[in-house]
Amino acid sequence: MKLPSGSATTALAPANPWALVPPLGNLDAYISAANRLPLLTLEEEQAAARSLRQNNDLDAAGRLIMSHLRLVVSISRQYLGYGLPHGDLIQEGNVGLMKAVKRFDPDQGVRLVSYAMHWIKAEIHEYILKNWRMVKVATTKAQRKLFFNLRSMKQGFKADALDEDTHRSRLSEHEIGVIADQLKVKREEVMEMEVRMSGGDILLDPAPSDDGEQAFGPIAYLADAAHEPTAMIESHQRDMLATDGIATALTSLDDRSRRIVEQRWLNVNDDGSGGMTLHELAAEYGVSAERIRQIEVAAMKKMKKTLAEYA
């Protein structure tokens, strides 16, 4: 297998080109080996592609993939600015290359290199969007366009405006309009993506420090106990018992017991003081204060039993 004319390497391809790729995870060695792999001529590429489509020739698929590994390495370098491992970018790009080889039709009149670029970039884009942040920053088509173009477009503008809080160059109204027009998105989407990309991830519950001290995180002050599900259910149950439950329990008493309970515990005077005393009720019913107390205790026990059944 000859390299195309103009290549600095004139040696013939080995019988097994896979042997050029080291078996262990040395990224530099892998890149060096991928760049040494021979390219296919147009005739060789079409012959291998037809053999794959017609005969499911896996050896032909391997030759197509191996000859384009350097393309994946080259494309992956364009995405190093996102802070993700280069090896992972290459790996995802190789997945896209294999998908392209599987779908490549040699009769369409294009080279595999042109066809595979779309699939390689698509897989790398998807990997970056899933792993750049814990929270996915781009889901719609417009957000994806902004995510992969906003940073490079911002570099083309002069950083004449500096945000006083973040000390980052921020876009002016004119620059926002230019980006929105060029990418055919809304101005609001440009401003929203700039905010998303300028932010960072914060752990809600950080792990303890090396010295064993508990780290302080947002989870400590973000929790709202008033809206905690269990607390809300308990609060609702208390409200129900305090209204419908009490009313139901009072109906289980005779008239005298009910009035005693109401006057002792449920009536409040205008000055905020409590209801009638035992002696006042004793004088009204013509019995002793001790008898009023006994009636009250018996009524409270009966109400307690009724409330338990109501709950």
Side-chain angles (χ1 to χ4, degrees), residues 119-185:
W119 290 93
I120 295 170
K121 289 183 177 181
E123 288 296 321
I124 294 177
H125 286 186
E126 192 66 25
Y127 167 74
I128 293 174
L129 290 173
K130 288 181 178 179
N131 295 275
W132 189 61
R133 292 275 173 81
M134 289 188 295
V135 178
K136 199 168 184 178
V137 296
T139 54
T140 66
K141 183 178 180 181
Q143 289 174 348
R144 287 171 176 258
K145 272 199 295 187
L146 283 166
F147 180 84
F148 289 107
N149 292 280
L150 183 58
R151 182 180 298 179
S152 60
M153 295 184 74
K154 283 182 64 175
Q155 293 175 353
F157 297 123
K158 293 182 179 179
D160 55 343
L162 193 67
D163 190 291
E164 296 179 356
D165 296 327
T166 62
H167 298 287
R168 297 173 183 265
S169 59
R170 52 184 175 82
L171 293 172
S172 66
E173 291 296 325
H174 171 70
E175 292 167 346
I176 291 174
V178 172
I179 294 175
D181 291 340
Q182 291 185 4
L183 296 180
K184 293 180 174 54
V185 297

Side-chain angles (χ1 to χ4, degrees), residues 224-235:
D224 184 2
H227 292 85
E228 196 272 328
T230 304
M232 292 180 66
I233 293 174
E234 292 177 350
S235 176

Side-chain angles (χ1 to χ4, degrees), residues 95-107:
V95 173
L97 173 61
M98 288 185 282
K99 290 182 178 180
V101 168
K102 182 178 180 180
R103 294 168 172 81
F104 179 60
D105 184 357
D107 297 324

